[in-house]
Amino acid sequence: MNQEEYVSPEDCPLCGENNHCGNLSSGKNNKCWCANNDITFPESLLSKVSNVAKNKSCICKACALKHKQDINKST
Ligand SMILES: [Zn+2]
C-alpha cells in the first residue's frame, strides 16, 4: 500500500519553520512575501525539496534568502 506522507503546507520543507505563506492566510493583503522581486526560487533551491513536499509546502523566506547568499558567495 502506498501511504502518502502528510506534508503541512505551512511548514518549510527545508528547515521545518512556518513559511508564512501569504497565499494560505485569509487576510485582506494576503500577498505572499515570495512575490517580492528580491526573492527567487532557482532550480538549485527547489531541487533541495523532497519529492514528498514538492508542490505542497512552500520554502520559507529565511531559506530562500540563505540560498541566494550561498549562490552569491560561490560566484
Ligand atoms: Zn525554511
Side-chain angles (χ1 to χ4, degrees):
M1 279 224 279
N2 232 348
Q3 197 175 15
E4 210 171 315
E5 219 174 304
Y6 175 73
V7 177
S8 169
E10 294 177 12
D11 292 343
C12 170
L14 298 181
C15 70
E17 296 291 325
N18 192 306
N19 56 32
H20 301 291
C21 181
N23 298 322
L24 292 171
S25 61
S26 51
K28 290 177 215 159
N29 301 313
N30 59 340
K31 200 175 184 188
C32 186
W33 54 263
C34 67
N36 189 317
N37 286 334
D38 289 339
I39 309 287
T40 53
F41 297 93
E43 190 58 41
S44 55
L45 174 60
L46 295 175
S47 64
K48 290 183 178 187
V49 180
S50 70
N51 286 329
V52 177
K54 237 169 216 171
N55 299 322
K56 286 184 181 168
S57 56
C58 299
I59 295 165
C60 77
K61 192 175 185 177
C63 285
L65 288 175
K66 186 179 176 297
H67 187 74
K68 193 182 174 187
Q69 286 175 351
D70 288 347
I71 292 174
N72 289 339
K73 260 185 248 166
S74 60
T75 47

